[in-house]
Amino acid sequence: IEFLRAPLNPSPLAGHSFTFEAGPLSGFVLDIRCSRSDLEPPPPRLTSEAELSELESWAKSLTGPGVLALGQPLTLDAGTWPEPNPVAFREHFARIGAAVASAPFDVAVLAGDLHVSQLLELDLHGRRIFEITSSPLTRIPSFGRNMLRRIVPIREDQEPAEVRLVDPRSAGAPISIERYLMGTSAPNTYALVDAEALGDGRVSLEVTFVDPARHAGAPCEPDKGLALVPSVGVGDPCRTKITLGPR
């Protein structure tokens, strides 16, 4: 991690976490992998205290909309051993949520890990949060599956992922899904986010889930978990705009 991270990322504030500026947006990348502890013995740790404190300071001092990049979404279930998900780390999860919800400007969450791409509007402590998740660029199956076949057996029934939302409240998270805007399980898609300043502290984000095989937006799919209907039409390209602003 040190070898690959050092030449690419800005200097960290603490641990492996850092801030960045992208046009009208302020960003914070919070590493929730390298300092993560086991759930036992308590208290479990999702990140280091120094990194969490830096996040809280960043969110409090925002002078415009922000983006928080996490390795995993806020909307996962609790998970199981050996890899519990963020909500299982109750204290740190609550502090991350409180920092985002109490920020003076809207904060969009950018996440990965799901092996699908999806855009959600959430309610977190009464605040609107957008969560943009995209990770299929390296998912199994596809090229990675063929490579792994040479090393370990992969069952033929381990077929592609699908958009399958879960209710984060079932894991005790203070989050509800207000809208499922769009999503796709098309292999090797990636998210493009184009930010445009609108004035008065507002920023428009155009989000596209790109299917490189089609050289266009990947087709939007229905949710097979909570049966939520996407705002983008099923089969239409995954592209839409959201607006962040002051609270």
Side-chain angles (χ1 to χ4, degrees):
I1 291 175
E2 293 290 346
F3 176 77
L4 294 175
R5 177 189 62 81
L8 297 176
N9 294 338
S11 299
L13 298 168
H16 296 281
S17 299
F18 58 90
T19 58
F20 64 93
E21 301 298 320
L25 295 171
S26 174
F28 193 104
V29 176
L30 178 65
D31 173 34
I32 55 173
R33 288 290 190 183
C34 295
S35 298
R36 185 181 298 196
S37 70
D38 294 330
L39 291 179
E40 298 290 342
R45 182 182 66 248
L46 187 57
T47 186
S48 70
E49 177 61 32
E51 289 168 283
L52 196 51
S53 295
E54 290 286 359
L55 169 67
E56 292 169 331
S57 297
W58 168 82
K60 188 184 304 181
S61 61
L62 281 174
T63 57
V67 293
L68 169 62
L70 299 171
Q72 294 178 289
L74 298 175
T75 48
L76 293 175
D77 58 23
T80 57
W81 186 91
E83 190 179 20
N85 292 323
V87 70
F89 298 79
R90 301 290 186 185
E91 180 182 346
H92 278 196
F93 186 90
R95 287 177 63 182
I96 293 171
V100 171
S102 62
F105 287 82
D106 288 329
V107 175
V109 174
L110 309 180
D113 191 53
L114 285 189
H115 306 287
V116 298
S117 295
Q118 61 190 38
L119 173 58
L120 306 176
E121 181 183 330
L122 312 174
D123 181 281
L124 172 61
H125 297 302
R127 297 288 195 180
R128 182 189 65 173
I129 304 291
F130 288 105
E131 184 179 73
I132 305 166
T133 303
S134 182
S135 61
L137 198 59
T138 55
R139 73 169 193 171
I140 302 171
S142 176
F143 176 74
R145 177 191 179 115
N146 295 331
M147 290 289 289
L148 281 178
R149 265 210 191 104
R150 301 173 183 269
I151 304 171
V152 296
I154 297 179
R155 299 195 317 268
E156 288 304 317
D157 61 350
Q158 290 180 321
E159 282 308 313
E162 58 188 4
V163 179
R164 184 173 291 274
L165 300 176
V166 298
D167 186 349
R169 293 173 297 183
S170 64
I175 301 172
S176 61
I177 298 175
E178 297 298 300
R179 284 196 299 159
Y180 166 46
L181 281 79
M182 62 184 186
T184 182
S185 63
N188 299 315
T189 60
Y190 57 91
L192 286 181
V193 181
D194 184 21
E196 178 186 4
L198 299 177
D200 299 324
R202 296 180 302 126
V203 174
S204 171
L205 301 184
E206 182 177 68
V207 183
T208 306
F209 296 141
V210 179
D211 180 354
R214 297 159 51 99
H215 302 289
C220 185
E221 301 174 16
D223 158 45
K224 297 183 179 179
L226 302 176
L228 299 181
V229 178
S231 299
V232 173
V234 172
D236 291 343
C238 280
R239 181 181 297 109
T240 193
K241 289 186 176 183
I242 57 178
T243 301
L244 309 180
R247 289 168 167 169

